[in-house]
Structures are given as structure tokens and as C-alpha cells.
Amino acid sequence: MNHREPTTPGRLIDPTRPFSTNYWTQRRLVFLLAAAPAVGYLLLQFWPLGRALGSALTDEAGDWTTAHLTRVWGDRLFVRSLGYSLLVPVVSVGLEAVVGLGMALWFYELRRGRFFWRTVAIVPFALPEIVYLLTMKLVFRQNGYLNSALWHGGGADWTVGWLEPGRPLMTLVVILVDAWRVTPIVFLIVLTALEQLPVSYVEAARIDGAGPWQIRARVLVPLVLPALLVALALRAVDAFRIFATPLVLVGVEAMPVLTSVAYHYKASANDVPAANIAALTLALGLLVMSLTAWALVWAGRRFRA
Amino acid sequence: MNGFPTLSARRAPRGWLISALGLALLLIVNTLPPLLVVRQALTPPDEAVQMPLRLLPESFSLQNLTSLWTTEPLLDRVTLSLGVALATTLLALVMGFPAGWAAVRLARAGRTIASLSLISRVLPPIVIAIPLTAILIPLGLYDHPLGLGLVLAHLTIGLPFAVLLAYAAFRDLPPELEESAIVNGCGTFEAFWRVALPSVRGAVAGAFILVFLLSWDEFAYALLIQLTNRTLPPLIYYYTNYGELGVASTLAVMMLVPAVLVIAFLQGLMTRGPLAGGVRDT
């Protein structure tokens, strides 16, 4: 379809459609309309980003300095936040992969009430983030509903400090709460991929004598693996940006992440250069992660082809 | 066309039971917590601190709402949140849909715009918000009573989203429709306004819902930019932080109302593919 035949004189629309490529690119208005958002991004994102870089590396007189940089890198809160910011994506993506894939395989076989159950499954994602986090705070806090349920079951001894600062359990609960909100994305992407597979694949495997688990492990999972990997790559980048969940559930000190530390510098001492350094570290990390994710997806496609 | 998959010739009764238990668990885990927010909002504050809590409170009261009404300029907060969300949505759609259409028609150059939109969604709000406040302060837009600065900030997430949605919608639209309009005497903009745009009404409605909710639910920018003239999400955060969970829950219930209304109102517009078969393949 790529070959072009010369347009007959006097005929504007050619069946091989050079019209679209020729006509629109000659209209200045079309370029202006397309460029408008780019100007917006430039003013609202790249300009602030440049300013952040500037304020992080200059002192009040406007001279270059690394003073802010060394101070932030010596701050224990910042160093701890680096650890948590790396831990969250690893644990979170692992959980989402297992749960998202498991739920998709389970819902794939569901016969009745598919629409209803799918809606139920995406409720955490459909709620506004802050409302979801408030519900989780009500459930997990010391005097919360989960501890109340345990109390009703076995008395006060059964209550657990789910969000008690400094314990691994707290970290796990925070990551779990965050992962549960976005697992529906992974679940929906994988389920859509599953439902697009011809049912005949499953039938062929069954007739050849494969059991249900063999079909899942040897037929379905390998076929939806590319979709799963794309979803997880997106999610890993997203999990690195985690902000509201640890902030609302346990606060900055108990579980600092890069975003919340940047917010903390800005809000508590109004220390803009320090806040900018934390923010830029985050941006740099995201750049590395996005490139890695992109390379993985690209390599995966090449590998399949 | 695609029937139900049958993984096993015999349906195992035990599998059915496990599936039913799993669904029951899912129903409880996902729908009980939002209901607990409603319960918390309607519980008098002194009963809410008792331990252990019961599933249903002993008495219901609107005490949380009345204390919120007296301590907080509630109406201002709600109108600010609504105003910011509406302004963000309108600006994002007015800029985003023409841009998405132009990007599709420009083919190669347009793909650059689309990927630029994708990249600009990767940066987290915090990275932009901190230096953005430094720009907004001298402009008088920081902590603006009408939330003008926040609208600009929300555009950084709403605009790329609108562009990408528009791009996807117009890509499925046969260019022959506009081409025949132009042959019949339409200008470039008219071809967009009278032919292309009405054909993707469903996508416009969908984008309206999504961008509106994006702004209405947004927390990080609002926390940093609206320091005293707060929108609802940071307000919920502050009350949660001060331990006033009943008041925070009341606000949370209020946040859910417009979200549900907007979806219900615009659902009717979301008809898909009205132009399928609009062009004859020859």
C-alpha cells in the first residue's frame, strides 16, 4: 500500500491517498493546533524542571555550589528514603504480578456475573486516591476495624500494630495497600489479553489431554506474558513515584520515600533547594527506570519476533 | 464468536466452592471499607474512639457534618474543587482535541506530539510542583482563591491525557470523511469542527469524565499549591492527620457524590462507533 501513483490532474482524492499526507501538512493551522500542547508542556513542565535544576545548584548570590547537594546526601532521612523508594517497586510489582495474573486467570473462567464481579474488582482503583487511603487508615489503624474484628474474635491480645512505625509489618502493609489499589490495572490488561485469545487454543490443548493447570501454565500464561510484562513495566515506573500512600498512612518520618521527603523539606522548613534536589533525584531515577522498562519491552518484542 | 473457555471436561465441585469463597472475600475486601467511611461519617465522635468498634454504630448523628459546617468554609471548599476541576477539563479538552486531531492528520510529526504527551505523564507531580510554586508566587497565582495556579498545575496531567485520548479516537476515524468535506468546500478548521469532532462525541464525553475526575481526585499538586485555599483532597489529608477521622470521612463521602453524578450524566453520550461503515471500501 506504500507505493504512490501520480495523482490524475483535476482529481483531488486519489485512491492510494496521497491526499492526507499532502494536504494536511501544507496547512499551517494544523501545525499550530498540534504544537499548542507542546508549548504547554514546555511552559508547565520543562521550564519548572530547569528552574529546579538551577535552584538546586546555585546559592543565594546566584553562584554555582554543591552545598545543598552535600547537605541532602548527608541527611539520614533522605538516604532512608532512597532505600524505601527502591524497595517499594520491587515488592509491589512482584505482588501485582502474582495477584493480577492469578485474578485474571480466575476471572477468565467465570461464567456468571462477569460484569458485576469485574466492577467489584476495580473498586479500589475507581475510588479517589485520598478516599481509598482514608478507608485503609480506618481499617488498619490501632483502634481500627481490623483490630476490632480481631478483638471480637479473641480479645485485646489479638490486636496487631499494623501501622506501628519502624516495623517491617508497617512497610509491608503500606506496600500492600498501595499495590492493591493498582492491581486492577494489571488484572484488566491481562484479562483483556486472555479474552482476545481464540478459545480454540484451550480446546485444542484439552483434547490433546492437557489438564486445567497444564493449560494455564503452558498455554495461557506464555501467551499473555507480553501483555503482563508491559503492564508490570508501567507499574514499576509508577510505584517509584509513590507519594500519598506512605504519607497518609504513616507519615514522612516512619516511611520516607523520595517524593514525601521532597514535600517534607518544602513544607517544614521551606527549604526549596533541598526539596528540589530530592525531586531531581526522583526524576533521574524515573528516567533510568523508564529507559530500562522501555528497553525490556523492546527486547521482549524483538525476542518474540 | 469467542465462547466460554472450558479448561476441564468435568467441572470440579471443589473448584466451584473455592471460586465462590474467593468472590465473597473480594466483595468484602473491596466494598466494606468504602461503606465503613459512610459509617464513620455518621457516627458521633465520642463513639468512634471506643474500642473495639462494632460493624454498625449504636447511634447515628450528623455531628461531624455540623462541626465541619461551623469550623470550615465548606461551601467555598466545594466550589473551589468543582471550579478547578471544570476549568481544567474545559482547557484540556479545548486544547487537547484539536491537537490530537492535527497530530493524527500530520502522521509522522504527529507521532512526536503523541510520544511527547506520553513522556510528560511520567514525571511525578512533586518534581514539577515544587519549582512551579516558585514560578507561581511572583505571578500571584500561588494559593489563589480561585485556584488559577492549581488549574495550570492540573493541566500538566490533564492535557497530555486529553491529547492521547483524542489521538486514539481520531486515529480510528477515516480521513475520507474530512477529505470529502474539503472537496465540498469546507475550510481546514471547518473540516475539524463540523465533521471530525462531532464524529468522536463519545470520546469527548469520555475524556470529559476522565479529566474531570483526574483533577477532582488530585492530591499532590493541591497539597503544595493551595496552602490555605484548600480543595477537598488535601483537606481530607489534614483532618486525617489531626485524627479527626469522622470529619475526614464526611468530606470523603462528599467527594464521591460528584464523581458518581458526572459518570451517570455523561454515560448517555458515550455511544461508540456511530460512523462504523460511514465510508465504503472500494
Side-chain angles (χ1 to χ4, degrees), chain B residues 203-271:
Chain B
V204 177
F208 188 98
I209 294 178
L210 290 171
V211 178
F212 180 90
L213 292 180
L214 217 58
S215 168
W216 177 256
D217 298 351
E218 204 282 330
F219 171 61
Y221 277 121
L223 185 65
L224 273 146
I225 292 177
Q226 298 300 108
L227 207 59
T228 56
N229 297 308
R230 290 167 190 161
T231 55
L232 292 179
L235 204 59
I236 292 178
Y237 168 66
Y238 284 117
Y239 278 110
T240 311
N241 233 9
Y242 299 145
E244 301 231 26
L245 292 172
V247 177
S249 300
T250 312
L251 287 164
V253 173
M254 293 170 68
M255 262 197 81
L256 288 174
V257 174
V260 174
L261 280 183
V262 166
I263 292 171
F265 180 70
L266 289 172
Q267 199 85 54
L269 283 170
M270 303 248 295
T271 44

Side-chain angles (χ1 to χ4, degrees), chain A residues 12-13 17 19-20 23-25 27 29-31 33-34 36-38 41 44-45 47-49 51-52 103 106-111 114 116-117 120-121 123-124 127-128 130-131 134-139 141-145 147-148 151-152 159 180 195-199 202 206 210-212 215-216 220 237 241 243-244 247-248 259 262-263 266 272 275-276 279 282-283 286 290, chain B residues 2-9 11 19 22-24 26-27 29-31 33-34 36-37 39-40 48-49 51-54 95 98-99 101-103 105-106 109 113 116-117 120-128 130-135 142 152 155-156 159-160 163 175-176 178-180 182-183 187-189 191 217 219-220 223-224 233 236-238 240 245 248-249 252 255-256:
Chain A
L12 201 53
I13 301 178
R17 296 210 335 229
F19 183 102
S20 6
Y23 178 82
W24 303 111
T25 45
R27 290 286 167 278
L29 179 73
V30 179
F31 273 105
L33 290 178
Y41 304 150
L44 292 170
Q45 301 199 289
W47 184 34
L49 207 61
R51 293 267 310 230
M103 276 176 72
W106 170 28
F107 274 56
Y108 178 58
E109 279 186 274
L110 218 56
R111 278 160 193 254
R114 289 177 148 213
F116 173 77
W117 291 111
V120 170
V123 164
L127 290 176
I130 189 76
V131 175
L134 177 64
T135 67
M136 291 297 118
K137 182 105 176 174
L138 289 174
V139 169
R141 74 198 166 107
Q142 190 63 47
N143 291 347
Y145 290 99
N147 273 346
S148 296
W151 190 319
H152 285 301
T159 59
W180 184 245
E195 283 175 347
Q196 277 168 357
L197 297 176
V199 176
V202 173
R206 203 183 68 233
I215 297 178
R216 286 184 195 114
L220 296 176
V237 176
R241 324 187 319 170
F243 173 62
L247 183 72
V248 174
T259 46
Y263 167 69
K266 171 80 174 71
V272 175
N276 278 332
L282 181 72
L286 278 168
S290 311
Chain B
N2 227 357
F4 280 113
T6 313
L7 265 57
S8 162
R11 301 284 297 168
S19 185
L23 288 176
L26 188 70
L27 190 68
V29 167
N30 275 3
T31 58
L36 289 176
V37 170
R39 176 222 187 272
Q40 193 79 25
V49 292
M51 193 65 194
L53 298 157
R54 296 139 167 271
M95 277 175 82
W101 170 76
R105 292 297 166 249
L106 287 178
I113 305 289
L116 209 62
S117 303
S120 69
R121 279 178 51 78
V122 173
L123 287 175
I126 287 288
V127 175
I128 303 299
I130 295 168
L132 191 63
T133 52
I135 295 171
Y142 177 68
L152 288 179
L155 269 180
T156 62
L159 182 58
V163 171
E176 285 86 349
E178 294 133 67
E179 285 163 11
S180 23
I182 283 163
V183 171
T188 311
F189 187 73
D217 298 351
F219 171 61
L223 185 65
L224 273 146
I236 292 178
Y237 168 66
Y238 284 117
T240 311
L245 292 172
S249 300
M255 262 197 81
L256 288 174

Side-chain angles (χ1 to χ4, degrees), chain B residues 58-76:
Chain B
E58 285 164 23
S59 56
F60 287 101
S61 87
L62 290 174
Q63 219 172 316
N64 286 316
L65 185 64
T66 47
S67 78
L68 186 64
W69 186 262
T70 47
T71 54
E72 194 77 45
L74 191 59
L75 223 51
D76 292 354

Side-chain angles (χ1 to χ4, degrees), chain A:
Chain A
M1 280 293 281
N2 276 331
H3 71 97
R4 257 186 220 174
E5 278 163 26
T7 317
T8 337
R11 226 184 124 199
L12 201 53
I13 301 178
D14 185 83
T16 53
R17 296 210 335 229
F19 183 102
S20 6
T21 39
N22 284 343
Y23 178 82
W24 303 111
T25 45
Q26 282 164 16
R27 290 286 167 278
R28 198 180 299 160
L29 179 73
V30 179
F31 273 105
L32 283 178
L33 290 178
V39 175
Y41 304 150
L42 206 65
L43 283 177
L44 292 170
Q45 301 199 289
F46 295 103
W47 184 34
L49 207 61
R51 293 267 310 230
L53 201 62
S55 97
L57 294 176
T58 53
D59 58 16
E60 275 148 25
D63 297 321
W64 294 104
T65 174
T66 53
H68 307 304
L69 209 62
T70 42
R71 193 164 58 79
V72 170
W73 279 93
D75 186 359
R76 232 182 84 73
L77 194 67
F78 179 79
V79 177
R80 277 176 65 213
S81 79
L82 275 178
Y84 278 117
S85 279
L86 289 174
L87 179 73
V88 171
V90 174
V91 182
S92 186
V93 167
L95 280 170
E96 286 159 34
V98 174
V99 178
L101 183 66
M103 276 176 72
L105 284 171
W106 170 28
F107 274 56
Y108 178 58
E109 279 186 274
L110 218 56
R111 278 160 193 254
R112 253 174 282 168
R114 289 177 148 213
F115 181 76
F116 173 77
W117 291 111
R118 205 177 291 195
T119 314
V120 170
I122 62 167
V123 164
F125 182 66
L127 290 176
E129 187 180 24
I130 189 76
V131 175
Y132 170 72
L133 292 176
L134 177 64
T135 67
M136 291 297 118
K137 182 105 176 174
L138 289 174
V139 169
F140 283 111
R141 74 198 166 107
Q142 190 63 47
N143 291 347
Y145 290 99
L146 186 56
N147 273 346
S148 296
L150 293 173
W151 190 319
H152 285 301
D157 294 345
W158 280 44
T159 59
V160 179
W162 302 101
L163 296 175
E164 207 172 288
R167 291 174 60 175
L169 182 66
M170 171 211 75
T171 315
L172 188 68
V173 169
V174 171
I175 294 177
L176 212 64
V177 165
D178 193 61
W180 184 245
R181 183 173 137 80
V182 287
T183 300
I185 303 177
V186 179
F187 156 71
L188 281 181
I189 291 176
V190 177
L191 185 62
T192 312
L194 274 175
E195 283 175 347
Q196 277 168 357
L197 297 176
V199 176
S200 49
Y201 288 8
V202 173
E203 278 160 10
R206 203 183 68 233
I207 289 164
D208 285 347
W213 283 106
Q214 272 178 317
I215 297 178
R216 286 184 195 114
R218 302 250 172 106
V219 180
L220 296 176
V221 172
L223 284 170
V224 296
L225 206 57
L228 179 68
L229 288 181
V230 170
L232 292 181
L234 289 174
R235 277 299 312 144
V237 176
D238 238 21
F240 192 65
R241 324 187 319 170
I242 185 171
F243 173 62
T245 313
L247 183 72
V248 174
L249 288 183
V250 293
V252 180
E253 303 280 347
M255 186 172 167
V257 286
L258 279 168
T259 46
S260 67
V261 167
Y263 167 69
H264 176 74
Y265 288 146
K266 171 80 174 71
S268 60
N270 214 6
D271 194 346
V272 175
N276 278 332
I277 288 168
L280 287 168
T281 313
L282 181 72
L284 200 67
L286 278 168
L287 187 71
V288 174
M289 285 190 75
S290 311
L291 286 176
T292 317
W294 180 77
L296 281 177
V297 170
W298 184 78
R301 276 206 198 121
R302 285 296 291 257
F303 183 70
R304 277 206 311 147

